[in-house]
mmCIF file of all heavy atoms in Angstrom:
data_model
loop_
_atom_site.group_PDB
_atom_site.id
_atom_site.type_symbol
_atom_site.label_atom_id
_atom_site.label_comp_id
_atom_site.label_asym_id
_atom_site.label_seq_id
_atom_site.Cartn_x
_atom_site.Cartn_y
_atom_site.Cartn_z
ATOM 1 N N GLY A 375 47.423 131.220 115.986
ATOM 2 C CA GLY A 375 48.827 131.225 115.634
ATOM 3 C C GLY A 375 49.317 129.926 115.027
ATOM 4 O O GLY A 375 50.514 129.725 114.855
ATOM 5 N N PHE A 376 48.366 129.040 114.681
ATOM 6 C CA PHE A 376 48.734 127.752 114.090
ATOM 7 C C PHE A 376 47.845 127.518 112.861
ATOM 8 O O PHE A 376 46.928 126.708 112.822
ATOM 9 C CB PHE A 376 48.481 126.604 115.091
ATOM 10 C CG PHE A 376 49.383 126.653 116.282
ATOM 11 C CD1 PHE A 376 48.990 127.395 117.393
ATOM 12 C CD2 PHE A 376 50.601 125.977 116.280
ATOM 13 C CE1 PHE A 376 49.838 127.414 118.507
ATOM 14 C CE2 PHE A 376 51.416 126.018 117.394
ATOM 15 C CZ PHE A 376 51.023 126.765 118.523
ATOM 16 N N PRO A 377 48.122 128.269 111.767
ATOM 17 C CA PRO A 377 47.293 128.115 110.527
ATOM 18 C C PRO A 377 47.411 126.683 109.995
ATOM 19 O O PRO A 377 48.457 126.068 110.063
ATOM 20 C CB PRO A 377 47.914 129.127 109.574
ATOM 21 C CG PRO A 377 49.307 129.317 110.055
ATOM 22 C CD PRO A 377 49.213 129.196 111.556
ATOM 23 N N THR A 378 46.265 126.188 109.484
ATOM 24 C CA THR A 378 46.239 124.815 108.999
ATOM 25 C C THR A 378 45.692 124.769 107.572
ATOM 26 O O THR A 378 44.948 125.638 107.137
ATOM 27 C CB THR A 378 45.336 123.921 109.888
ATOM 28 O OG1 THR A 378 44.009 124.473 109.873
ATOM 29 C CG2 THR A 378 45.864 123.859 111.288
ATOM 30 N N ALA A 379 46.136 123.709 106.850
ATOM 31 C CA ALA A 379 45.591 123.400 105.537
ATOM 32 C C ALA A 379 44.491 122.357 105.780
ATOM 33 O O ALA A 379 44.787 121.224 106.179
ATOM 34 C CB ALA A 379 46.669 122.837 104.618
ATOM 35 N N TYR A 395 48.673 113.978 115.030
ATOM 36 C CA TYR A 395 49.708 113.136 114.412
ATOM 37 C C TYR A 395 50.871 113.984 113.906
ATOM 38 O O TYR A 395 50.751 115.161 113.571
ATOM 39 C CB TYR A 395 49.105 112.399 113.194
ATOM 40 C CG TYR A 395 47.979 111.474 113.495
ATOM 41 C CD1 TYR A 395 46.665 111.934 113.615
ATOM 42 C CD2 TYR A 395 48.191 110.100 113.689
ATOM 43 C CE1 TYR A 395 45.612 111.072 113.916
ATOM 44 C CE2 TYR A 395 47.143 109.243 113.967
ATOM 45 C CZ TYR A 395 45.844 109.744 114.095
ATOM 46 O OH TYR A 395 44.829 108.908 114.358
ATOM 47 N N ALA A 396 52.030 113.339 113.855
ATOM 48 C CA ALA A 396 53.194 113.900 113.160
ATOM 49 C C ALA A 396 53.194 113.319 111.752
ATOM 50 O O ALA A 396 52.880 112.159 111.560
ATOM 51 C CB ALA A 396 54.479 113.560 113.883
ATOM 52 N N GLY A 397 53.511 114.175 110.780
ATOM 53 C CA GLY A 397 53.527 113.704 109.406
ATOM 54 C C GLY A 397 54.067 114.705 108.450
ATOM 55 O O GLY A 397 54.808 115.607 108.850
ATOM 56 N N TRP A 398 53.649 114.542 107.205
ATOM 57 C CA TRP A 398 54.164 115.393 106.147
ATOM 58 C C TRP A 398 53.003 115.873 105.263
ATOM 59 O O TRP A 398 52.040 115.153 105.084
ATOM 60 C CB TRP A 398 55.165 114.615 105.272
ATOM 61 C CG TRP A 398 56.373 114.149 106.025
ATOM 62 C CD1 TRP A 398 56.518 112.947 106.655
ATOM 63 C CD2 TRP A 398 57.592 114.872 106.215
ATOM 64 N NE1 TRP A 398 57.754 112.888 107.279
ATOM 65 C CE2 TRP A 398 58.423 114.060 107.016
ATOM 66 C CE3 TRP A 398 58.077 116.110 105.826
ATOM 67 C CZ2 TRP A 398 59.709 114.423 107.381
ATOM 68 C CZ3 TRP A 398 59.334 116.515 106.200
ATOM 69 C CH2 TRP A 398 60.137 115.664 106.992
ATOM 70 N N LEU A 399 53.164 117.052 104.760
ATOM 71 C CA LEU A 399 52.231 117.578 103.739
ATOM 72 C C LEU A 399 53.027 117.793 102.459
ATOM 73 O O LEU A 399 54.098 118.455 102.496
ATOM 74 C CB LEU A 399 51.614 118.921 104.195
ATOM 75 C CG LEU A 399 50.609 119.542 103.243
ATOM 76 C CD1 LEU A 399 49.549 120.307 104.007
ATOM 77 C CD2 LEU A 399 51.247 120.465 102.216
ATOM 78 N N ARG A 406 57.849 118.612 100.135
ATOM 79 C CA ARG A 406 57.398 117.922 101.370
ATOM 80 C C ARG A 406 57.633 118.856 102.560
ATOM 81 O O ARG A 406 58.756 119.295 102.782
ATOM 82 C CB ARG A 406 58.166 116.621 101.534
ATOM 83 C CG ARG A 406 57.842 115.570 100.534
ATOM 84 C CD ARG A 406 58.773 114.375 100.623
ATOM 85 N NE ARG A 406 58.689 113.734 101.911
ATOM 86 C CZ ARG A 406 57.741 112.855 102.254
ATOM 87 N NH1 ARG A 406 56.806 112.505 101.366
ATOM 88 N NH2 ARG A 406 57.738 112.287 103.446
ATOM 89 N N TRP A 407 56.559 119.091 103.318
ATOM 90 C CA TRP A 407 56.650 119.982 104.474
ATOM 91 C C TRP A 407 56.341 119.156 105.734
ATOM 92 O O TRP A 407 55.352 118.439 105.773
ATOM 93 C CB TRP A 407 55.599 121.103 104.382
ATOM 94 C CG TRP A 407 55.763 121.963 103.173
ATOM 95 C CD1 TRP A 407 55.179 121.827 101.953
ATOM 96 C CD2 TRP A 407 56.525 123.167 103.078
ATOM 97 N NE1 TRP A 407 55.535 122.839 101.094
ATOM 98 C CE2 TRP A 407 56.368 123.689 101.773
ATOM 99 C CE3 TRP A 407 57.343 123.875 103.989
ATOM 100 C CZ2 TRP A 407 56.953 124.864 101.336
ATOM 101 C CZ3 TRP A 407 57.930 125.054 103.541
ATOM 102 C CH2 TRP A 407 57.761 125.542 102.240
ATOM 103 N N PRO A 408 57.196 119.283 106.782
ATOM 104 C CA PRO A 408 56.843 118.610 108.042
ATOM 105 C C PRO A 408 55.583 119.233 108.624
ATOM 106 O O PRO A 408 55.329 120.446 108.480
ATOM 107 C CB PRO A 408 58.070 118.899 108.915
ATOM 108 C CG PRO A 408 58.623 120.165 108.371
ATOM 109 C CD PRO A 408 58.385 120.116 106.882
ATOM 110 N N ALA A 409 54.769 118.427 109.304
ATOM 111 C CA ALA A 409 53.498 118.939 109.782
ATOM 112 C C ALA A 409 53.024 118.228 111.035
ATOM 113 O O ALA A 409 53.357 117.099 111.307
ATOM 114 C CB ALA A 409 52.418 118.761 108.683
ATOM 115 N N ALA A 410 52.226 119.005 111.821
ATOM 116 C CA ALA A 410 51.442 118.431 112.884
ATOM 117 C C ALA A 410 49.994 118.384 112.373
ATOM 118 O O ALA A 410 49.461 119.387 111.899
ATOM 119 C CB ALA A 410 51.516 119.314 114.132
ATOM 120 N N ILE A 411 49.414 117.195 112.402
ATOM 121 C CA ILE A 411 48.123 116.961 111.734
ATOM 122 C C ILE A 411 47.035 116.688 112.770
ATOM 123 O O ILE A 411 47.233 115.867 113.684
ATOM 124 C CB ILE A 411 48.211 115.766 110.776
ATOM 125 C CG1 ILE A 411 49.374 115.962 109.770
ATOM 126 C CG2 ILE A 411 46.910 115.555 110.011
ATOM 127 C CD1 ILE A 411 49.847 114.659 109.126
ATOM 128 N N ALA A 428 46.274 120.105 108.519
ATOM 129 C CA ALA A 428 47.698 119.961 108.735
ATOM 130 C C ALA A 428 48.331 121.343 108.973
ATOM 131 O O ALA A 428 48.140 122.247 108.173
ATOM 132 C CB ALA A 428 48.380 119.279 107.575
ATOM 133 N N HIS A 429 49.049 121.473 110.071
ATOM 134 C CA HIS A 429 49.793 122.704 110.360
ATOM 135 C C HIS A 429 51.260 122.438 109.991
ATOM 136 O O HIS A 429 51.969 121.627 110.601
ATOM 137 C CB HIS A 429 49.694 123.069 111.841
ATOM 138 C CG HIS A 429 50.646 124.146 112.276
ATOM 139 N ND1 HIS A 429 50.580 125.443 111.803
ATOM 140 C CD2 HIS A 429 51.720 124.121 113.105
ATOM 141 C CE1 HIS A 429 51.542 126.167 112.316
ATOM 142 N NE2 HIS A 429 52.256 125.365 113.101
ATOM 143 N N VAL A 430 51.718 123.156 108.951
ATOM 144 C CA VAL A 430 53.103 123.027 108.524
ATOM 145 C C VAL A 430 54.016 123.687 109.499
ATOM 146 O O VAL A 430 53.808 124.852 109.903
ATOM 147 C CB VAL A 430 53.273 123.627 107.091
ATOM 148 C CG1 VAL A 430 54.759 123.636 106.727
ATOM 149 C CG2 VAL A 430 52.468 122.797 106.096
ATOM 150 N N ILE A 431 55.059 122.983 109.945
ATOM 151 C CA ILE A 431 56.012 123.518 110.899
ATOM 152 C C ILE A 431 57.308 123.842 110.227
ATOM 153 O O ILE A 431 57.571 123.448 109.071
ATOM 154 C CB ILE A 431 56.198 122.550 112.077
ATOM 155 C CG1 ILE A 431 56.805 121.231 111.588
ATOM 156 C CG2 ILE A 431 54.883 122.261 112.776
ATOM 157 C CD1 ILE A 431 57.082 120.224 112.711
ATOM 158 N N ASP A 432 58.167 124.596 110.943
ATOM 159 C CA ASP A 432 59.516 124.925 110.461
ATOM 160 C C ASP A 432 59.527 125.775 109.204
ATOM 161 O O ASP A 432 60.476 125.713 108.392
ATOM 162 C CB ASP A 432 60.352 123.652 110.190
ATOM 163 C CG ASP A 432 60.755 122.970 111.470
ATOM 164 O OD1 ASP A 432 60.489 123.521 112.555
ATOM 165 O OD2 ASP A 432 61.343 121.888 111.396
ATOM 166 N N ARG A 433 58.528 126.610 109.036
ATOM 167 C CA ARG A 433 58.553 127.543 107.904
ATOM 168 C C ARG A 433 59.327 128.797 108.317
ATOM 169 O O ARG A 433 59.234 129.226 109.462
ATOM 170 C CB ARG A 433 57.151 127.928 107.480
ATOM 171 C CG ARG A 433 56.369 126.860 106.805
ATOM 172 C CD ARG A 433 54.950 127.278 106.614
ATOM 173 N NE ARG A 433 54.274 127.496 107.894
ATOM 174 C CZ ARG A 433 53.049 127.984 108.013
ATOM 175 N NH1 ARG A 433 52.371 128.352 106.935
ATOM 176 N NH2 ARG A 433 52.506 128.166 109.214
ATOM 177 N N PRO A 434 60.014 129.443 107.380
ATOM 178 C CA PRO A 434 60.667 130.705 107.708
ATOM 179 C C PRO A 434 59.601 131.722 108.164
ATOM 180 O O PRO A 434 58.507 131.771 107.588
ATOM 181 C CB PRO A 434 61.311 131.147 106.382
ATOM 182 C CG PRO A 434 61.473 129.865 105.605
ATOM 183 C CD PRO A 434 60.307 128.998 106.013
ATOM 184 N N LYS A 435 59.879 132.491 109.196
ATOM 185 C CA LYS A 435 58.902 133.420 109.755
ATOM 186 C C LYS A 435 58.355 134.368 108.674
ATOM 187 O O LYS A 435 57.156 134.688 108.676
ATOM 188 C CB LYS A 435 59.471 134.218 110.904
ATOM 189 C CG LYS A 435 59.769 133.369 112.140
ATOM 190 C CD LYS A 435 60.246 134.224 113.271
ATOM 191 C CE LYS A 435 60.443 133.374 114.526
ATOM 192 N NZ LYS A 435 60.966 134.193 115.668
ATOM 193 N N VAL A 438 55.451 132.835 106.584
ATOM 194 C CA VAL A 438 54.244 132.246 107.195
ATOM 195 C C VAL A 438 52.976 132.821 106.570
ATOM 196 O O VAL A 438 52.067 132.086 106.158
ATOM 197 C CB VAL A 438 54.253 132.486 108.734
ATOM 198 C CG1 VAL A 438 52.898 132.070 109.311
ATOM 199 C CG2 VAL A 438 55.338 131.663 109.362
ATOM 200 N N PHE A 441 52.210 131.750 102.897
ATOM 201 C CA PHE A 441 52.103 130.335 102.618
ATOM 202 C C PHE A 441 50.628 130.004 102.339
ATOM 203 O O PHE A 441 49.851 129.771 103.250
ATOM 204 C CB PHE A 441 52.622 129.512 103.841
ATOM 205 C CG PHE A 441 52.809 128.064 103.542
ATOM 206 C CD1 PHE A 441 53.877 127.660 102.720
ATOM 207 C CD2 PHE A 441 51.994 127.122 104.052
ATOM 208 C CE1 PHE A 441 54.061 126.312 102.473
ATOM 209 C CE2 PHE A 441 52.181 125.759 103.790
ATOM 210 C CZ PHE A 441 53.238 125.366 102.978
ATOM 211 N N LEU A 443 47.964 127.606 100.417
ATOM 212 C CA LEU A 443 47.721 126.329 99.744
ATOM 213 C C LEU A 443 46.278 126.198 99.258
ATOM 214 O O LEU A 443 45.932 125.165 98.694
ATOM 215 C CB LEU A 443 48.065 125.161 100.669
ATOM 216 C CG LEU A 443 49.504 125.042 101.114
ATOM 217 C CD1 LEU A 443 49.629 123.907 102.162
ATOM 218 C CD2 LEU A 443 50.412 124.805 99.954
ATOM 219 N N LEU A 456 50.507 111.308 118.090
ATOM 220 C CA LEU A 456 51.062 111.971 119.270
ATOM 221 C C LEU A 456 50.140 111.838 120.476
ATOM 222 O O LEU A 456 50.579 111.605 121.593
ATOM 223 C CB LEU A 456 51.279 113.473 118.979
ATOM 224 C CG LEU A 456 52.138 113.824 117.752
ATOM 225 C CD1 LEU A 456 52.298 115.296 117.621
ATOM 226 C CD2 LEU A 456 53.481 113.116 117.835
ATOM 227 N N MET A 472 49.255 122.784 121.851
ATOM 228 C CA MET A 472 49.631 122.775 120.420
ATOM 229 C C MET A 472 51.137 123.072 120.291
ATOM 230 O O MET A 472 51.798 122.505 119.393
ATOM 231 C CB MET A 472 48.800 123.781 119.650
ATOM 232 C CG MET A 472 47.320 123.378 119.539
ATOM 233 S SD MET A 472 46.237 124.706 118.944
ATOM 234 C CE MET A 472 46.662 124.728 117.198
ATOM 235 N N ARG A 473 51.658 123.943 121.106
ATOM 236 C CA ARG A 473 53.105 124.201 121.053
ATOM 237 C C ARG A 473 53.893 122.932 121.386
ATOM 238 O O ARG A 473 54.892 122.621 120.747
ATOM 239 C CB ARG A 473 53.464 125.318 122.080
ATOM 240 C CG ARG A 473 52.938 126.689 121.724
ATOM 241 C CD ARG A 473 53.632 127.760 122.508
ATOM 242 N NE ARG A 473 53.120 129.079 122.227
ATOM 243 C CZ ARG A 473 52.311 129.780 122.999
ATOM 244 N NH1 ARG A 473 51.868 129.226 124.155
ATOM 245 N NH2 ARG A 473 51.859 130.968 122.648
ATOM 246 N N LEU A 474 53.401 122.192 122.387
ATOM 247 C CA LEU A 474 54.060 120.904 122.738
ATOM 248 C C LEU A 474 53.937 119.911 121.595
ATOM 249 O O LEU A 474 54.871 119.188 121.288
ATOM 250 C CB LEU A 474 53.459 120.340 124.007
ATOM 251 C CG LEU A 474 53.657 121.139 125.290
ATOM 252 C CD1 LEU A 474 52.902 120.504 126.448
ATOM 253 C CD2 LEU A 474 55.148 121.232 125.643
ATOM 254 N N ASP A 475 52.768 119.899 120.928
ATOM 255 C CA ASP A 475 52.576 118.981 119.791
ATOM 256 C C ASP A 475 53.565 119.268 118.676
ATOM 257 O O ASP A 475 54.117 118.351 118.069
ATOM 258 C CB ASP A 475 51.151 119.132 119.261
ATOM 259 C CG ASP A 475 50.081 118.688 120.240
ATOM 260 O OD1 ASP A 475 50.406 117.854 121.119
ATOM 261 O OD2 ASP A 475 48.937 119.149 120.100
ATOM 262 N N VAL A 476 53.790 120.540 118.392
ATOM 263 C CA VAL A 476 54.730 120.926 117.304
ATOM 264 C C VAL A 476 56.144 120.468 117.640
ATOM 265 O O VAL A 476 56.851 119.939 116.801
ATOM 266 C CB VAL A 476 54.660 122.442 117.090
ATOM 267 C CG1 VAL A 476 55.840 122.883 116.165
ATOM 268 C CG2 VAL A 476 53.357 122.869 116.433
ATOM 269 N N VAL A 477 56.526 120.678 118.924
ATOM 270 C CA VAL A 477 57.884 120.214 119.342
ATOM 271 C C VAL A 477 58.003 118.724 119.218
ATOM 272 O O VAL A 477 59.029 118.205 118.695
ATOM 273 C CB VAL A 477 58.150 120.680 120.790
ATOM 274 C CG1 VAL A 477 59.444 120.058 121.302
ATOM 275 C CG2 VAL A 477 58.218 122.200 120.887
ATOM 276 N N GLN A 478 56.989 118.000 119.650
ATOM 277 C CA GLN A 478 57.050 116.523 119.577
ATOM 278 C C GLN A 478 57.035 116.049 118.129
ATOM 279 O O GLN A 478 57.751 115.116 117.775
ATOM 280 C CB GLN A 478 55.884 115.925 120.361
ATOM 281 C CG GLN A 478 55.957 114.416 120.461
ATOM 282 C CD GLN A 478 54.822 113.835 121.275
ATOM 283 O OE1 GLN A 478 53.948 114.520 121.762
ATOM 284 N NE2 GLN A 478 54.832 112.514 121.443
ATOM 285 N N ALA A 479 56.216 116.695 117.302
ATOM 286 C CA ALA A 479 56.184 116.318 115.877
ATOM 287 C C ALA A 479 57.544 116.510 115.229
ATOM 288 O O ALA A 479 58.047 115.683 114.484
ATOM 289 C CB ALA A 479 55.118 117.091 115.143
ATOM 290 N N HIS A 480 58.186 117.630 115.567
ATOM 291 C CA HIS A 480 59.516 117.924 115.026
ATOM 292 C C HIS A 480 60.512 116.884 115.444
ATOM 293 O O HIS A 480 61.330 116.389 114.619
ATOM 294 C CB HIS A 480 59.977 119.304 115.481
ATOM 295 C CG HIS A 480 61.268 119.760 114.873
ATOM 296 N ND1 HIS A 480 62.501 119.316 115.366
ATOM 297 C CD2 HIS A 480 61.547 120.550 113.811
ATOM 298 C CE1 HIS A 480 63.452 119.853 114.627
ATOM 299 N NE2 HIS A 480 62.931 120.596 113.706
ATOM 300 N N SER A 481 60.481 116.470 116.722
ATOM 301 C CA SER A 481 61.437 115.484 117.203
ATOM 302 C C SER A 481 61.277 114.135 116.547
ATOM 303 O O SER A 481 62.263 113.400 116.364
ATOM 304 C CB SER A 481 61.326 115.370 118.722
ATOM 305 O OG SER A 481 60.085 114.784 119.099
ATOM 306 N N ILE A 482 60.037 113.793 116.220
ATOM 307 C CA ILE A 482 59.767 112.510 115.540
ATOM 308 C C ILE A 482 60.146 112.543 114.057
ATOM 309 O O ILE A 482 60.778 111.608 113.572
ATOM 310 C CB ILE A 482 58.252 112.145 115.663
ATOM 311 C CG1 ILE A 482 57.940 111.789 117.107
ATOM 312 C CG2 ILE A 482 57.879 111.009 114.715
ATOM 313 C CD1 ILE A 482 56.453 111.570 117.354
ATOM 314 N N LEU A 483 59.853 113.629 113.392
ATOM 315 C CA LEU A 483 60.138 113.714 111.945
ATOM 316 C C LEU A 483 61.608 113.964 111.642
ATOM 317 O O LEU A 483 62.049 113.660 110.553
ATOM 318 C CB LEU A 483 59.284 114.830 111.317
ATOM 319 C CG LEU A 483 57.784 114.626 111.441
ATOM 320 C CD1 LEU A 483 57.042 115.894 110.977
ATOM 321 C CD2 LEU A 483 57.318 113.415 110.640
ATOM 322 N N PHE A 484 62.335 114.524 112.607
ATOM 323 C CA PHE A 484 63.743 114.827 112.367
ATOM 324 C C PHE A 484 64.585 114.151 113.442
ATOM 325 O O PHE A 484 65.248 114.761 114.258
ATOM 326 C CB PHE A 484 63.986 116.361 112.398
ATOM 327 C CG PHE A 484 63.267 117.101 111.318
ATOM 328 C CD1 PHE A 484 62.052 117.721 111.560
ATOM 329 C CD2 PHE A 484 63.786 117.150 110.039
ATOM 330 C CE1 PHE A 484 61.375 118.390 110.536
ATOM 331 C CE2 PHE A 484 63.142 117.820 109.010
ATOM 332 C CZ PHE A 484 61.897 118.437 109.284
#
Side-chain angles (χ1 to χ4, degrees):
F376 295 87
T378 59
Y395 299 84
W398 299 89
L399 182 148
R406 293 171 59 83
W407 301 90
I411 306 161
H429 169 65
V430 172
I431 62 179
D432 287 356
R433 290 172 296 174
K435 291 184 178 180
V438 171
F441 193 71
L443 297 174
L456 306 182
M472 292 168 75
R473 291 196 182 103
L474 294 175
D475 293 337
V476 168
V477 171
Q478 188 178 0
H480 184 279
S481 67
I482 289 172
L483 298 173
F484 296 97

